[in-house]
Amino acid sequence: MRAELEPGDATPALVAAVAAGRAPLGALAELAARQQRIITSDRRSLLLLATRCANRPLGSWFATLAEGESAALRTLPALAAACGTILDRTADHPPLPDHQSPSDQPPLPRHPPLPGCQAYPAYLAWLALNGLPAAVAAALVANFAAWGGYCAAIAEGLRRHHGFDDAACAFFDFFAQPATALEQQAAAALAPAALGSAELAAAREYGTLLQAYERLFWETLAALPTG
């Protein structure tokens, strides 16, 4: 089933441009800003999935993924700084005190949300509430290799063409690591209850949509004016 759900070989245009040194830093700044919103949302979705199956091995697997999202989120400020931008405040920041004057309020977001970039995390949030957890896990595993390959290509391009150091590339290095251990953990977590026909059908549906929304993410970024 994994082979059936895996994305095709076509590399997103922006990934290819970064790897070849043709992408401007503005595009990379947008990528960092969009990932901040996505990672923040995905982490919560994964924690909800972990809660939904807390008494099963799959719950620990989702929790492990959420911990990884937290680690990745901590690497984004260095990437943004290397791209010449500052990340926006997010809902994870505590609210401002009631007595603070309007002039002290944070500025409007430098990178307001874009529908094409928010489709993936919005759908994962829907899956966290409504999806079959085992089918969600299968759909996520199918995309590990492709996402990791994109991140590896971007990290190499940033070092080669822009001189980014390890701190600036840490976000992509993190996801570029082989996901073999996570895949094995998912297989072990799913083993006690093999996927039935309903779960298999759902996994195909979830995987198809997740991959379509990821393609939309890359296409949206590639179409942005970056100056």
Side-chain angles (χ1 to χ4, degrees), residues 158-199:
L158 293 179
R159 287 187 168 94
R160 177 179 300 177
H161 302 292
H162 294 282
F164 279 22
D165 60 16
D166 288 346
C169 293
F171 175 82
F172 300 108
D173 288 341
F174 177 82
F175 286 111
Q177 301 174 54
T180 306
L182 284 174
E183 293 171 0
Q184 292 174 344
Q185 291 167 15
L190 291 169
L195 296 181
S197 58
E199 287 84 4

PDB file of all heavy atoms in Angstrom, residues 158-199:
ATOM      1  N   LEU A 158      21.067  25.372  -0.179  1.00  0.00           N
ATOM      2  CA  LEU A 158      21.322  26.532   0.676  1.00  0.00           C
ATOM      3  C   LEU A 158      22.797  26.623   1.055  1.00  0.00           C
ATOM      4  O   LEU A 158      23.373  27.718   1.099  1.00  0.00           O
ATOM      5  CB  LEU A 158      20.461  26.456   1.935  1.00  0.00           C
ATOM      6  CG  LEU A 158      18.949  26.598   1.732  1.00  0.00           C
ATOM      7  CD1 LEU A 158      18.219  26.477   3.060  1.00  0.00           C
ATOM      8  CD2 LEU A 158      18.613  27.924   1.064  1.00  0.00           C
ATOM      9  N   ARG A 159      23.397  25.500   1.332  1.00  0.00           N
ATOM     10  CA  ARG A 159      24.821  25.506   1.684  1.00  0.00           C
ATOM     11  C   ARG A 159      25.682  25.845   0.467  1.00  0.00           C
ATOM     12  O   ARG A 159      26.613  26.652   0.550  1.00  0.00           O
ATOM     13  CB  ARG A 159      25.224  24.142   2.248  1.00  0.00           C
ATOM     14  CG  ARG A 159      24.711  23.864   3.650  1.00  0.00           C
ATOM     15  CD  ARG A 159      25.288  22.559   4.197  1.00  0.00           C
ATOM     16  NE  ARG A 159      25.024  22.421   5.623  1.00  0.00           N
ATOM     17  CZ  ARG A 159      23.985  21.762   6.133  1.00  0.00           C
ATOM     18  NH1 ARG A 159      23.113  21.174   5.319  1.00  0.00           N
ATOM     19  NH2 ARG A 159      23.813  21.684   7.442  1.00  0.00           N
ATOM     20  N   ARG A 160      25.361  25.252  -0.650  1.00  0.00           N
ATOM     21  CA  ARG A 160      26.202  25.407  -1.835  1.00  0.00           C
ATOM     22  C   ARG A 160      26.075  26.792  -2.455  1.00  0.00           C
ATOM     23  O   ARG A 160      27.083  27.407  -2.824  1.00  0.00           O
ATOM     24  CB  ARG A 160      25.836  24.344  -2.870  1.00  0.00           C
ATOM     25  CG  ARG A 160      26.611  24.479  -4.186  1.00  0.00           C
ATOM     26  CD  ARG A 160      26.215  23.393  -5.164  1.00  0.00           C
ATOM     27  NE  ARG A 160      26.483  22.060  -4.634  1.00  0.00           N
ATOM     28  CZ  ARG A 160      26.166  20.936  -5.275  1.00  0.00           C
ATOM     29  NH1 ARG A 160      25.560  20.992  -6.449  1.00  0.00           N
ATOM     30  NH2 ARG A 160      26.450  19.765  -4.739  1.00  0.00           N
ATOM     31  N   HIS A 161      24.859  27.299  -2.558  1.00  0.00           N
ATOM     32  CA  HIS A 161      24.642  28.531  -3.318  1.00  0.00           C
ATOM     33  C   HIS A 161      24.492  29.780  -2.455  1.00  0.00           C
ATOM     34  O   HIS A 161      24.684  30.896  -2.946  1.00  0.00           O
ATOM     35  CB  HIS A 161      23.406  28.375  -4.204  1.00  0.00           C
ATOM     36  CG  HIS A 161      23.492  27.234  -5.168  1.00  0.00           C
ATOM     37  ND1 HIS A 161      24.372  27.218  -6.225  1.00  0.00           N
ATOM     38  CD2 HIS A 161      22.810  26.056  -5.217  1.00  0.00           C
ATOM     39  CE1 HIS A 161      24.230  26.087  -6.903  1.00  0.00           C
ATOM     40  NE2 HIS A 161      23.292  25.363  -6.317  1.00  0.00           N
ATOM     41  N   HIS A 162      24.124  29.603  -1.185  1.00  0.00           N
ATOM     42  CA  HIS A 162      23.919  30.768  -0.327  1.00  0.00           C
ATOM     43  C   HIS A 162      24.862  30.799   0.865  1.00  0.00           C
ATOM     44  O   HIS A 162      24.851  31.765   1.628  1.00  0.00           O
ATOM     45  CB  HIS A 162      22.471  30.810   0.168  1.00  0.00           C
ATOM     46  CG  HIS A 162      21.463  31.040  -0.920  1.00  0.00           C
ATOM     47  ND1 HIS A 162      21.222  32.284  -1.464  1.00  0.00           N
ATOM     48  CD2 HIS A 162      20.644  30.183  -1.577  1.00  0.00           C
ATOM     49  CE1 HIS A 162      20.282  32.193  -2.398  1.00  0.00           C
ATOM     50  NE2 HIS A 162      19.925  30.926  -2.492  1.00  0.00           N
ATOM     51  N   GLY A 163      25.650  29.757   1.056  1.00  0.00           N
ATOM     52  CA  GLY A 163      26.594  29.728   2.164  1.00  0.00           C
ATOM     53  C   GLY A 163      25.949  29.630   3.531  1.00  0.00           C
ATOM     54  O   GLY A 163      26.537  30.061   4.531  1.00  0.00           O
ATOM     55  N   PHE A 164      24.756  29.057   3.614  1.00  0.00           N
ATOM     56  CA  PHE A 164      24.083  28.925   4.908  1.00  0.00           C
ATOM     57  C   PHE A 164      24.861  27.953   5.795  1.00  0.00           C
ATOM     58  O   PHE A 164      25.377  26.937   5.325  1.00  0.00           O
ATOM     59  CB  PHE A 164      22.662  28.403   4.718  1.00  0.00           C
ATOM     60  CG  PHE A 164      21.665  29.465   4.327  1.00  0.00           C
ATOM     61  CD1 PHE A 164      22.069  30.651   3.734  1.00  0.00           C
ATOM     62  CD2 PHE A 164      20.311  29.270   4.554  1.00  0.00           C
ATOM     63  CE1 PHE A 164      21.148  31.620   3.373  1.00  0.00           C
ATOM     64  CE2 PHE A 164      19.377  30.236   4.194  1.00  0.00           C
ATOM     65  CZ  PHE A 164      19.798  31.416   3.603  1.00  0.00           C
ATOM     66  N   ASP A 165      24.915  28.274   7.094  1.00  0.00           N
ATOM     67  CA  ASP A 165      25.611  27.394   8.026  1.00  0.00           C
ATOM     68  C   ASP A 165      24.654  26.326   8.560  1.00  0.00           C
ATOM     69  O   ASP A 165      23.483  26.261   8.171  1.00  0.00           O
ATOM     70  CB  ASP A 165      26.239  28.196   9.168  1.00  0.00           C
ATOM     71  CG  ASP A 165      25.213  28.974   9.988  1.00  0.00           C
ATOM     72  OD1 ASP A 165      23.998  28.674   9.892  1.00  0.00           O
ATOM     73  OD2 ASP A 165      25.629  29.887  10.733  1.00  0.00           O
ATOM     74  N   ASP A 166      25.175  25.500   9.468  1.00  0.00           N
ATOM     75  CA  ASP A 166      24.368  24.386   9.976  1.00  0.00           C
ATOM     76  C   ASP A 166      23.126  24.864  10.723  1.00  0.00           C
ATOM     77  O   ASP A 166      22.064  24.234  10.638  1.00  0.00           O
ATOM     78  CB  ASP A 166      25.215  23.505  10.901  1.00  0.00           C
ATOM     79  CG  ASP A 166      26.248  22.696  10.135  1.00  0.00           C
ATOM     80  OD1 ASP A 166      26.144  22.617   8.892  1.00  0.00           O
ATOM     81  OD2 ASP A 166      27.162  22.145  10.777  1.00  0.00           O
ATOM     82  N   ALA A 167      23.252  25.966  11.468  1.00  0.00           N
ATOM     83  CA  ALA A 167      22.096  26.470  12.210  1.00  0.00           C
ATOM     84  C   ALA A 167      20.991  26.906  11.255  1.00  0.00           C
ATOM     85  O   ALA A 167      19.804  26.643  11.493  1.00  0.00           O
ATOM     86  CB  ALA A 167      22.512  27.632  13.112  1.00  0.00           C
ATOM     87  N   ALA A 168      21.367  27.568  10.173  1.00  0.00           N
ATOM     88  CA  ALA A 168      20.375  28.045   9.209  1.00  0.00           C
ATOM     89  C   ALA A 168      19.730  26.896   8.442  1.00  0.00           C
ATOM     90  O   ALA A 168      18.594  27.015   7.983  1.00  0.00           O
ATOM     91  CB  ALA A 168      21.022  29.025   8.234  1.00  0.00           C
ATOM     92  N   CYS A 169      20.441  25.796   8.314  1.00  0.00           N
ATOM     93  CA  CYS A 169      19.925  24.634   7.572  1.00  0.00           C
ATOM     94  C   CYS A 169      19.311  23.579   8.486  1.00  0.00           C
ATOM     95  O   CYS A 169      18.851  22.533   8.001  1.00  0.00           O
ATOM     96  CB  CYS A 169      21.046  23.990   6.758  1.00  0.00           C
ATOM     97  SG  CYS A 169      21.681  25.014   5.412  1.00  0.00           S
ATOM     98  N   ALA A 170      19.300  23.840   9.792  1.00  0.00           N
ATOM     99  CA  ALA A 170      18.897  22.804  10.749  1.00  0.00           C
ATOM    100  C   ALA A 170      17.473  22.310  10.520  1.00  0.00           C
ATOM    101  O   ALA A 170      17.183  21.121  10.714  1.00  0.00           O
ATOM    102  CB  ALA A 170      19.044  23.332  12.176  1.00  0.00           C
ATOM    103  N   PHE A 171      16.572  23.204  10.113  1.00  0.00           N
ATOM    104  CA  PHE A 171      15.187  22.782   9.874  1.00  0.00           C
ATOM    105  C   PHE A 171      15.139  21.708   8.799  1.00  0.00           C
ATOM    106  O   PHE A 171      14.510  20.654   8.975  1.00  0.00           O
ATOM    107  CB  PHE A 171      14.341  23.988   9.462  1.00  0.00           C
ATOM    108  CG  PHE A 171      12.925  23.634   9.088  1.00  0.00           C
ATOM    109  CD1 PHE A 171      11.960  23.463  10.062  1.00  0.00           C
ATOM    110  CD2 PHE A 171      12.564  23.469   7.754  1.00  0.00           C
ATOM    111  CE1 PHE A 171      10.649  23.124   9.720  1.00  0.00           C
ATOM    112  CE2 PHE A 171      11.264  23.136   7.406  1.00  0.00           C
ATOM    113  CZ  PHE A 171      10.309  22.966   8.391  1.00  0.00           C
ATOM    114  N   PHE A 172      15.814  21.954   7.691  1.00  0.00           N
ATOM    115  CA  PHE A 172      15.782  20.995   6.587  1.00  0.00           C
ATOM    116  C   PHE A 172      16.607  19.753   6.906  1.00  0.00           C
ATOM    117  O   PHE A 172      16.234  18.640   6.522  1.00  0.00           O
ATOM    118  CB  PHE A 172      16.270  21.669   5.310  1.00  0.00           C
ATOM    119  CG  PHE A 172      15.425  22.843   4.905  1.00  0.00           C
ATOM    120  CD1 PHE A 172      15.902  24.141   5.027  1.00  0.00           C
ATOM    121  CD2 PHE A 172      14.135  22.657   4.435  1.00  0.00           C
ATOM    122  CE1 PHE A 172      15.114  25.224   4.676  1.00  0.00           C
ATOM    123  CE2 PHE A 172      13.336  23.732   4.082  1.00  0.00           C
ATOM    124  CZ  PHE A 172      13.827  25.022   4.202  1.00  0.00           C
ATOM    125  N   ASP A 173      17.722  19.935   7.619  1.00  0.00           N
ATOM    126  CA  ASP A 173      18.525  18.778   8.018  1.00  0.00           C
ATOM    127  C   ASP A 173      17.711  17.831   8.899  1.00  0.00           C
ATOM    128  O   ASP A 173      17.836  16.602   8.794  1.00  0.00           O
ATOM    129  CB  ASP A 173      19.770  19.230   8.789  1.00  0.00           C
ATOM    130  CG  ASP A 173      20.813  19.888   7.899  1.00  0.00           C
ATOM    131  OD1 ASP A 173      20.759  19.683   6.668  1.00  0.00           O
ATOM    132  OD2 ASP A 173      21.674  20.604   8.439  1.00  0.00           O
ATOM    133  N   PHE A 174      16.891  18.405   9.762  1.00  0.00           N
ATOM    134  CA  PHE A 174      16.093  17.586  10.679  1.00  0.00           C
ATOM    135  C   PHE A 174      15.171  16.649   9.905  1.00  0.00           C
ATOM    136  O   PHE A 174      15.104  15.445  10.175  1.00  0.00           O
ATOM    137  CB  PHE A 174      15.282  18.492  11.607  1.00  0.00           C
ATOM    138  CG  PHE A 174      14.381  17.747  12.548  1.00  0.00           C
ATOM    139  CD1 PHE A 174      14.878  17.209  13.726  1.00  0.00           C
ATOM    140  CD2 PHE A 174      13.034  17.571  12.260  1.00  0.00           C
ATOM    141  CE1 PHE A 174      14.049  16.504  14.594  1.00  0.00           C
ATOM    142  CE2 PHE A 174      12.198  16.874  13.116  1.00  0.00           C
ATOM    143  CZ  PHE A 174      12.709  16.338  14.287  1.00  0.00           C
ATOM    144  N   PHE A 175      14.469  17.188   8.918  1.00  0.00           N
ATOM    145  CA  PHE A 175      13.519  16.370   8.171  1.00  0.00           C
ATOM    146  C   PHE A 175      14.195  15.528   7.092  1.00  0.00           C
ATOM    147  O   PHE A 175      13.589  14.580   6.582  1.00  0.00           O
ATOM    148  CB  PHE A 175      12.444  17.254   7.544  1.00  0.00           C
ATOM    149  CG  PHE A 175      11.448  17.791   8.530  1.00  0.00           C
ATOM    150  CD1 PHE A 175      11.425  19.141   8.844  1.00  0.00           C
ATOM    151  CD2 PHE A 175      10.545  16.954   9.157  1.00  0.00           C
ATOM    152  CE1 PHE A 175      10.506  19.644   9.759  1.00  0.00           C
ATOM    153  CE2 PHE A 175       9.625  17.437  10.075  1.00  0.00           C
ATOM    154  CZ  PHE A 175       9.605  18.787  10.378  1.00  0.00           C
ATOM    155  N   ALA A 176      15.434  15.888   6.736  1.00  0.00           N
ATOM    156  CA  ALA A 176      16.144  15.121   5.712  1.00  0.00           C
ATOM    157  C   ALA A 176      16.677  13.803   6.247  1.00  0.00           C
ATOM    158  O   ALA A 176      17.070  12.926   5.468  1.00  0.00           O
ATOM    159  CB  ALA A 176      17.296  15.956   5.148  1.00  0.00           C
ATOM    160  N   GLN A 177      16.704  13.648   7.566  1.00  0.00           N
ATOM    161  CA  GLN A 177      17.187  12.396   8.141  1.00  0.00           C
ATOM    162  C   GLN A 177      16.277  11.242   7.722  1.00  0.00           C
ATOM    163  O   GLN A 177      15.057  11.399   7.645  1.00  0.00           O
ATOM    164  CB  GLN A 177      17.201  12.492   9.670  1.00  0.00           C
ATOM    165  CG  GLN A 177      18.067  13.604  10.225  1.00  0.00           C
ATOM    166  CD  GLN A 177      17.921  13.716  11.726  1.00  0.00           C
ATOM    167  OE1 GLN A 177      18.103  12.741  12.446  1.00  0.00           O
ATOM    168  NE2 GLN A 177      17.587  14.897  12.209  1.00  0.00           N
ATOM    169  N   PRO A 178      16.854  10.082   7.436  1.00  0.00           N
ATOM    170  CA  PRO A 178      16.022   8.931   7.064  1.00  0.00           C
ATOM    171  C   PRO A 178      14.969   8.652   8.134  1.00  0.00           C
ATOM    172  O   PRO A 178      15.252   8.684   9.335  1.00  0.00           O
ATOM    173  CB  PRO A 178      17.032   7.781   6.971  1.00  0.00           C
ATOM    174  CG  PRO A 178      18.332   8.456   6.673  1.00  0.00           C
ATOM    175  CD  PRO A 178      18.291   9.764   7.418  1.00  0.00           C
ATOM    176  N   ALA A 179      13.751   8.405   7.688  1.00  0.00           N
ATOM    177  CA  ALA A 179      12.643   8.178   8.623  1.00  0.00           C
ATOM    178  C   ALA A 179      12.426   6.697   8.891  1.00  0.00           C
ATOM    179  O   ALA A 179      11.334   6.285   9.290  1.00  0.00           O
ATOM    180  CB  ALA A 179      11.369   8.799   8.064  1.00  0.00           C
ATOM    181  N   THR A 180      13.482   5.899   8.697  1.00  0.00           N
ATOM    182  CA  THR A 180      13.348   4.447   8.844  1.00  0.00           C
ATOM    183  C   THR A 180      12.812   4.061  10.214  1.00  0.00           C
ATOM    184  O   THR A 180      11.917   3.206  10.333  1.00  0.00           O
ATOM    185  CB  THR A 180      14.705   3.768   8.611  1.00  0.00           C
ATOM    186  OG1 THR A 180      15.225   4.185   7.348  1.00  0.00           O
ATOM    187  CG2 THR A 180      14.551   2.259   8.621  1.00  0.00           C
ATOM    188  N   ALA A 181      13.345   4.686  11.265  1.00  0.00           N
ATOM    189  CA  ALA A 181      12.915   4.332  12.619  1.00  0.00           C
ATOM    190  C   ALA A 181      11.432   4.646  12.821  1.00  0.00           C
ATOM    191  O   ALA A 181      10.687   3.842  13.391  1.00  0.00           O
ATOM    192  CB  ALA A 181      13.757   5.076  13.649  1.00  0.00           C
ATOM    193  N   LEU A 182      10.995   5.809  12.336  1.00  0.00           N
ATOM    194  CA  LEU A 182       9.583   6.170  12.479  1.00  0.00           C
ATOM    195  C   LEU A 182       8.691   5.224  11.687  1.00  0.00           C
ATOM    196  O   LEU A 182       7.593   4.868  12.127  1.00  0.00           O
ATOM    197  CB  LEU A 182       9.360   7.609  12.015  1.00  0.00           C
ATOM    198  CG  LEU A 182       9.808   8.720  12.969  1.00  0.00           C
ATOM    199  CD1 LEU A 182       9.649  10.076  12.311  1.00  0.00           C
ATOM    200  CD2 LEU A 182       9.008   8.661  14.271  1.00  0.00           C
ATOM    201  N   GLU A 183       9.157   4.816  10.521  1.00  0.00           N
ATOM    202  CA  GLU A 183       8.382   3.881   9.710  1.00  0.00           C
ATOM    203  C   GLU A 183       8.262   2.529  10.414  1.00  0.00           C
ATOM    204  O   GLU A 183       7.190   1.906  10.422  1.00  0.00           O
ATOM    205  CB  GLU A 183       9.038   3.722   8.345  1.00  0.00           C
ATOM    206  CG  GLU A 183       8.990   4.995   7.499  1.00  0.00           C
ATOM    207  CD  GLU A 183       9.832   4.876   6.242  1.00  0.00           C
ATOM    208  OE1 GLU A 183      10.445   3.810   6.039  1.00  0.00           O
ATOM    209  OE2 GLU A 183       9.872   5.840   5.465  1.00  0.00           O
ATOM    210  N   GLN A 184       9.361   2.078  11.011  1.00  0.00           N
ATOM    211  CA  GLN A 184       9.333   0.806  11.737  1.00  0.00           C
ATOM    212  C   GLN A 184       8.429   0.895  12.961  1.00  0.00           C
ATOM    213  O   GLN A 184       7.687  -0.045  13.270  1.00  0.00           O
ATOM    214  CB  GLN A 184      10.757   0.411  12.138  1.00  0.00           C
ATOM    215  CG  GLN A 184      11.653   0.056  10.961  1.00  0.00           C
ATOM    216  CD  GLN A 184      13.094  -0.182  11.374  1.00  0.00           C
ATOM    217  OE1 GLN A 184      13.512   0.188  12.477  1.00  0.00           O
ATOM    218  NE2 GLN A 184      13.873  -0.796  10.493  1.00  0.00           N
ATOM    219  N   GLN A 185       8.489   2.043  13.648  1.00  0.00           N
ATOM    220  CA  GLN A 185       7.626   2.232  14.813  1.00  0.00           C
ATOM    221  C   GLN A 185       6.156   2.240  14.408  1.00  0.00           C
ATOM    222  O   GLN A 185       5.300   1.702  15.113  1.00  0.00           O
ATOM    223  CB  GLN A 185       7.991   3.532  15.523  1.00  0.00           C
ATOM    224  CG  GLN A 185       9.347   3.508  16.207  1.00  0.00           C
ATOM    225  CD  GLN A 185       9.804   4.893  16.635  1.00  0.00           C
ATOM    226  OE1 GLN A 185       9.016   5.834  16.677  1.00  0.00           O
ATOM    227  NE2 GLN A 185      11.080   5.022  16.946  1.00  0.00           N
ATOM    228  N   ALA A 186       5.863   2.861  13.267  1.00  0.00           N
ATOM    229  CA  ALA A 186       4.482   2.885  12.787  1.00  0.00           C
ATOM    230  C   ALA A 186       4.007   1.478  12.451  1.00  0.00           C
ATOM    231  O   ALA A 186       2.881   1.087  12.790  1.00  0.00           O
ATOM    232  CB  ALA A 186       4.366   3.790  11.560  1.00  0.00           C
ATOM    233  N   ALA A 187       4.871   0.707  11.789  1.00  0.00           N
ATOM    234  CA  ALA A 187       4.508  -0.665  11.445  1.00  0.00           C
ATOM    235  C   ALA A 187       4.239  -1.488  12.698  1.00  0.00           C
ATOM    236  O   ALA A 187       3.276  -2.265  12.761  1.00  0.00           O
ATOM    237  CB  ALA A 187       5.616  -1.302  10.612  1.00  0.00           C
ATOM    238  N   ALA A 188       5.091  -1.300  13.719  1.00  0.00           N
ATOM    239  CA  ALA A 188       4.905  -2.039  14.967  1.00  0.00           C
ATOM    240  C   ALA A 188       3.627  -1.609  15.678  1.00  0.00           C
ATOM    241  O   ALA A 188       2.906  -2.428  16.255  1.00  0.00           O
ATOM    242  CB  ALA A 188       6.110  -1.826  15.881  1.00  0.00           C
ATOM    243  N   ALA A 189       3.334  -0.299  15.623  1.00  0.00           N
ATOM    244  CA  ALA A 189       2.138   0.209  16.295  1.00  0.00           C
ATOM    245  C   ALA A 189       0.865  -0.256  15.604  1.00  0.00           C
ATOM    246  O   ALA A 189      -0.168  -0.466  16.246  1.00  0.00           O
ATOM    247  CB  ALA A 189       2.176   1.732  16.340  1.00  0.00           C
ATOM    248  N   LEU A 190       0.937  -0.430  14.289  1.00  0.00           N
ATOM    249  CA  LEU A 190      -0.237  -0.852  13.534  1.00  0.00           C
ATOM    250  C   LEU A 190      -0.412  -2.367  13.535  1.00  0.00           C
ATOM    251  O   LEU A 190      -1.504  -2.867  13.267  1.00  0.00           O
ATOM    252  CB  LEU A 190      -0.140  -0.366  12.088  1.00  0.00           C
ATOM    253  CG  LEU A 190      -0.260   1.145  11.879  1.00  0.00           C
ATOM    254  CD1 LEU A 190       0.111   1.514  10.451  1.00  0.00           C
ATOM    255  CD2 LEU A 190      -1.670   1.617  12.198  1.00  0.00           C
ATOM    256  N   ALA A 191       0.661  -3.097  13.838  1.00  0.00           N
ATOM    257  CA  ALA A 191       0.642  -4.558  13.729  1.00  0.00           C
ATOM    258  C   ALA A 191      -0.440  -5.227  14.572  1.00  0.00           C
ATOM    259  O   ALA A 191      -1.083  -6.174  14.106  1.00  0.00           O
ATOM    260  CB  ALA A 191       2.017  -5.122  14.078  1.00  0.00           C
ATOM    261  N   PRO A 192      -0.672  -4.782  15.836  1.00  0.00           N
ATOM    262  CA  PRO A 192      -1.676  -5.487  16.648  1.00  0.00           C
ATOM    263  C   PRO A 192      -3.062  -5.518  16.017  1.00  0.00           C
ATOM    264  O   PRO A 192      -3.846  -6.422  16.285  1.00  0.00           O
ATOM    265  CB  PRO A 192      -1.685  -4.679  17.956  1.00  0.00           C
ATOM    266  CG  PRO A 192      -0.332  -4.046  18.011  1.00  0.00           C
ATOM    267  CD  PRO A 192      -0.001  -3.721  16.588  1.00  0.00           C
ATOM    268  N   ALA A 193      -3.374  -4.531  15.208  1.00  0.00           N
ATOM    269  CA  ALA A 193      -4.684  -4.503  14.543  1.00  0.00           C
ATOM    270  C   ALA A 193      -4.456  -4.135  13.082  1.00  0.00           C
ATOM    271  O   ALA A 193      -4.384  -2.963  12.736  1.00  0.00           O
ATOM    272  CB  ALA A 193      -5.604  -3.489  15.215  1.00  0.00           C
ATOM    273  N   ALA A 194      -4.289  -5.143  12.254  1.00  0.00           N
ATOM    274  CA  ALA A 194      -4.004  -4.900  10.841  1.00  0.00           C
ATOM    275  C   ALA A 194      -5.114  -4.059  10.217  1.00  0.00           C
ATOM    276  O   ALA A 194      -6.285  -4.149  10.600  1.00  0.00           O
ATOM    277  CB  ALA A 194      -3.878  -6.230  10.109  1.00  0.00           C
ATOM    278  N   LEU A 195      -4.720  -3.249   9.253  1.00  0.00           N
ATOM    279  CA  LEU A 195      -5.695  -2.382   8.600  1.00  0.00           C
ATOM    280  C   LEU A 195      -6.734  -3.217   7.854  1.00  0.00           C
ATOM    281  O   LEU A 195      -6.388  -4.067   7.040  1.00  0.00           O
ATOM    282  CB  LEU A 195      -4.986  -1.446   7.616  1.00  0.00           C
ATOM    283  CG  LEU A 195      -3.997  -0.435   8.206  1.00  0.00           C
ATOM    284  CD1 LEU A 195      -3.410   0.422   7.095  1.00  0.00           C
ATOM    285  CD2 LEU A 195      -4.664   0.438   9.241  1.00  0.00           C
ATOM    286  N   GLY A 196      -7.993  -2.945   8.143  1.00  0.00           N
ATOM    287  CA  GLY A 196      -9.063  -3.608   7.425  1.00  0.00           C
ATOM    288  C   GLY A 196      -9.389  -2.868   6.144  1.00  0.00           C
ATOM    289  O   GLY A 196      -8.744  -1.867   5.799  1.00  0.00           O
ATOM    290  N   SER A 197     -10.405  -3.330   5.446  1.00  0.00           N
ATOM    291  CA  SER A 197     -10.751  -2.715   4.165  1.00  0.00           C
ATOM    292  C   SER A 197     -11.154  -1.254   4.333  1.00  0.00           C
ATOM    293  O   SER A 197     -10.813  -0.405   3.504  1.00  0.00           O
ATOM    294  CB  SER A 197     -11.881  -3.501   3.498  1.00  0.00           C
ATOM    295  OG  SER A 197     -13.028  -3.552   4.343  1.00  0.00           O
ATOM    296  N   ALA A 198     -11.866  -0.940   5.416  1.00  0.00           N
ATOM    297  CA  ALA A 198     -12.287   0.449   5.639  1.00  0.00           C
ATOM    298  C   ALA A 198     -11.083   1.341   5.896  1.00  0.00           C
ATOM    299  O   ALA A 198     -10.996   2.458   5.363  1.00  0.00           O
ATOM    300  CB  ALA A 198     -13.255   0.518   6.815  1.00  0.00           C
ATOM    301  N   GLU A 199     -10.132   0.854   6.708  1.00  0.00           N
ATOM    302  CA  GLU A 199      -8.936   1.643   6.995  1.00  0.00           C
ATOM    303  C   GLU A 199      -8.067   1.815   5.753  1.00  0.00           C
ATOM    304  O   GLU A 199      -7.496   2.886   5.528  1.00  0.00           O
ATOM    305  CB  GLU A 199      -8.118   0.985   8.109  1.00  0.00           C
ATOM    306  CG  GLU A 199      -8.725   1.106   9.501  1.00  0.00           C
ATOM    307  CD  GLU A 199      -9.762   0.034   9.765  1.00  0.00           C
ATOM    308  OE1 GLU A 199      -9.952  -0.840   8.891  1.00  0.00           O
ATOM    309  OE2 GLU A 199     -10.385   0.065  10.836  1.00  0.00           O
TER     310      GLU A 199
END
